[in-house]
Amino acid sequence: MAERVYDENGRLIFTEEMREEYTVLIPQMAPYYFTYFLDAAISEGYKAELLTTDDYALIHEGMKYSHNDICVPAMLVIGQFIDALKKKGYDADKVALVITQTGGGCRASNYIALLRKALAKAGYEHVPVISLNANGFEPNPGFKVTPRLFHKLHDALVFGDVVMGLVNQIRPYEVEPGDTDRAREDVDKMLEAYFMHKKTFTWRRHTKMTKRIIERFSEVRMKPLNKPKVGIVGEIYVKYSPLGNNRLEETLEEAGCEVVVPPLYDFFLYSFDSRAHDIKRYGGPWKERLALRVIVAYIEHRRKKARKMMKKAGFAVSIPYKALKRLVDGFIDIGTHTGEGWLLTAEMIDLIKHGAPNIVCTQPFGCLPNHIVGKGMIKKLKKHYPESNVVTIDYDTSASKVNQNNRIHLMVSNAKRRLQEDTRETSL
Ligand code: SF4
């Protein structure tokens, strides 16, 4: 069995030996993306599994082992990990956990410490915890984001954005129920093979795969219906995770809406760009700033191609990162980086300006940064864009689904009424 090694601060290291023997458990935080992250990790030789348990009651497991003041996303992720260790038959001597660490001013930077504390309390202090971050925190010899893995994660993000955009634009209009989900299953299989292939790196393969994805989804026949578009914005975890947001996408689709969710890649670009911005404003290594700017420009260049192909096939696409950033001029300073910062406000403006003025702004209860850049901006948005129809939903430890749904349905009925009025006006 792999020997346990600790660093000078007493942190249990994930060693190369452990990489051979251990299964790395990954919490499912965003279904359109984490499936492909998993493919990328497995193709690089990791034994990895996604935790897909999605019962909100998991939060009680998280609450048992952590302070009740911590953020809802942390409680859910900690609860999901401990539930898996206790009940899902894993050998606790052969698993490691991986969690993202943002490195920003928000409490998310400390989730890892909270998780370790909770594990110790639950009797699992011997389970290594790996930090996935872009800042080089807590290095582990058994887990390295090599250039090859970095590229694969990049591809996974671009494909995740493409697949999410296509599913959301097609499924509400499908002629044959289940056709879109079947296309998604086929695409997931195609992507699994894509990541396992040795030549993942080449641009040509990436472009070819994007084309195949769009072609497969274009086979789904669609009805010419007019449905209200509803955007989802908010704190990163509750925005993308069905466990965190009580299956919000499903609720909205069932209520007769087309869901619009901004691409996850914008959040990563925002994180890189925020660091570059801070270096410029407060000082820091110019080389790092230059590297970050190059990374952002390179990623945008690669995303441009996918956008172009989707547009050509008749689908709506997200706007470039730079254009998104410009939208907040006069609304909020681009130095606002805590939580989702100015990006959340920018996403709401983008949705309002591009046909989805109906928005659900999701926020964990007590998430101060997002209350400021989300809820706090609604009055100003309403003043500039009277057509905006934003509802803020808190996700809490004792969240009542009925209460959340009532508020969401009220927003949806307003959206439907307006759509009818607009259609009537256009036909006159
Ligand atoms: S963004 Fe909100 S929920 Fe997330 S860590 Fe910060 S305070 Fe907590």
Side-chain angles (χ1 to χ4, degrees):
M1 201 174 112
E3 194 195 337
R4 292 200 180 107
V5 182
Y6 295 83
D7 72 2
E8 64 283 3
N9 299 315
R11 173 175 68 91
L12 178 57
I13 308 267
F14 185 70
T15 61
E16 283 186 36
E17 248 187 309
M18 285 175 173
R19 179 184 167 145
E20 305 294 315
E21 288 179 22
Y22 280 45
T23 303
V24 179
L25 303 183
I26 308 170
Q28 174 59 287
M29 295 166 101
Y32 284 104
Y33 303 87
F34 276 58
T35 314
Y36 310 141
F37 292 164
L38 179 76
D39 290 342
I42 291 175
S43 71
E44 287 299 294
Y46 292 96
K47 280 194 225 164
E49 274 182 38
L50 264 186
L51 297 179
T52 51
T53 34
D54 61 356
D55 182 353
Y56 205 78
L58 286 172
I59 202 159
H60 299 298
E61 203 64 61
M63 283 165 77
K64 225 189 278 176
Y65 299 104
S66 45
H67 195 278
N68 61 6
D69 245 6
I70 72 163
C71 308
V72 169
M75 282 196 210
L76 280 167
V77 172
I78 292 172
Q80 196 176 35
F81 276 139
I82 293 182
D83 172 79
L85 292 172
K86 279 185 174 175
K87 302 178 192 153
K88 302 290 176 236
Y90 291 108
D91 176 354
D93 289 317
K94 294 277 175 62
V95 290
L97 313 178
V98 67
I99 190 164
T100 49
Q101 202 177 3
T102 59
C106 220
R107 286 180 273 185
S109 295
N110 300 313
Y111 282 7
I112 194 154
L114 297 168
L115 173 59
R116 287 203 180 104
K117 211 168 159 192
L119 287 172
K121 235 172 154 181
Y124 296 109
E125 62 277 2
H126 57 287
V127 175
V129 180
I130 302 165
S131 161
L132 185 61
N133 65 78
N135 305 301
F137 300 149
E138 300 198 350
N140 285 288
F143 185 88
K144 285 184 192 143
V145 181
T146 57
R148 199 182 149 87
L149 179 57
F150 181 81
H151 249 273
K152 287 187 178 181
L153 295 176
H154 156 82
D155 281 0
L157 270 167
V158 177
F159 290 137
D161 283 343
V162 169
V163 173
M164 181 174 72
L166 292 169
V167 169
N168 284 339
Q169 289 180 61
I170 296 171
R171 194 165 49 201
Y173 306 99
E174 64 190 7
V175 173
E176 200 59 55
D179 256 7
T180 318
D181 290 338
R182 279 187 283 278
R184 187 173 163 193
E185 278 167 27
D186 289 349
V187 164
D188 285 356
K189 278 185 204 139
M190 276 153 47
L191 284 172
E192 199 182 328
Y194 173 88
F195 284 110
M196 289 310 287
H197 202 282
K198 285 195 191 84
K199 283 189 191 162
T200 308
F201 272 136
T202 67
W203 286 39
R204 252 187 76 221
R205 279 197 81 233
H206 183 94
T207 308
K208 243 168 113 181
M209 180 50 69
T210 312
K211 193 169 170 240
R212 282 182 64 200
I213 294 172
I214 297 170
E215 278 169 3
R216 178 61 189 92
F217 277 106
S218 301
E219 286 169 18
V220 178
R221 286 187 303 126
M222 291 162 71
K223 294 179 208 160
L225 298 173
N226 204 5
K227 295 193 174 194
K229 289 186 182 172
V230 178
I232 300 178
V233 297
E235 189 276 338
I236 194 82
Y237 181 79
V238 290
K239 176 178 167 188
Y240 292 104
S241 163
L243 169 61
N245 62 29
N246 274 333
R247 303 178 169 276
L248 179 58
E249 276 191 41
E250 229 174 88
T251 306
L252 289 170
E253 261 189 37
E254 279 167 13
C257 306
E258 177 188 327
V259 181
V260 188
V261 189
L264 178 60
Y265 222 147
D266 284 334
F267 179 77
F268 284 84
L269 294 181
Y270 152 81
S271 306
F272 296 143
D273 190 35
S274 297
R275 172 76 188 130
H277 174 274
D278 285 349
I279 293 175
K280 186 181 175 202
R281 201 174 263 197
Y282 309 113
W286 67 268
K287 279 187 189 162
E288 187 187 344
R289 179 165 170 250
L290 182 69
L292 287 163
R293 294 188 65 147
V294 170
I295 290 174
V296 171
Y298 170 75
I299 291 170
E300 269 303 81
H301 181 66
R302 301 266 331 239
R303 291 171 87 199
K304 206 161 126 190
K305 186 92 189 169
R307 273 199 206 104
K308 224 170 151 181
M309 292 164 82
M310 276 181 73
K311 214 168 164 183
K312 203 173 158 199
F315 295 102
V317 292
S318 61
I319 60 171
Y321 175 76
K322 267 192 184 166
L324 192 64
K325 195 171 166 183
R326 277 197 298 269
L327 290 179
V328 294
D329 272 359
F331 283 87
I332 191 167
D333 190 88
I334 52 160
T336 317
H337 293 154
T338 311
E340 275 55 44
W342 61 260
L343 179 71
L344 203 161
T345 312
E347 286 177 344
M348 288 200 280
I349 300 174
D350 178 29
L351 286 163
I352 296 168
K353 286 180 90 144
H354 296 102
N358 316 295
I359 298 170
V360 183
C361 181
T362 62
Q363 46 208 4
F365 178 75
C367 167
L368 191 61
N370 288 313
H371 273 71
I372 294 167
V373 294
K375 204 172 191 166
M377 295 306 294
I378 294 176
K379 206 168 162 194
K380 196 160 185 180
L381 289 177
K382 191 81 189 164
K383 203 170 155 206
H384 279 77
Y385 304 104
E387 72 276 28
S388 63
N389 175 26
V390 187
V391 63
T392 57
I393 304 289
D394 278 355
Y395 291 87
D396 190 4
T397 44
S398 53
S400 146
K401 199 172 178 186
V402 178
N403 196 354
Q404 289 168 350
N405 282 354
N406 283 347
R407 303 194 58 224
I408 292 166
H409 283 110
L410 188 64
M411 182 276 296
V412 170
S413 59
N414 280 338
K416 285 185 176 169
R417 183 180 43 79
R418 281 195 197 167
L419 184 70
Q420 267 177 5
E421 284 168 7
D422 289 350
T423 319
R424 219 175 295 138
E425 269 173 36
T426 338
S427 58
L428 283 178

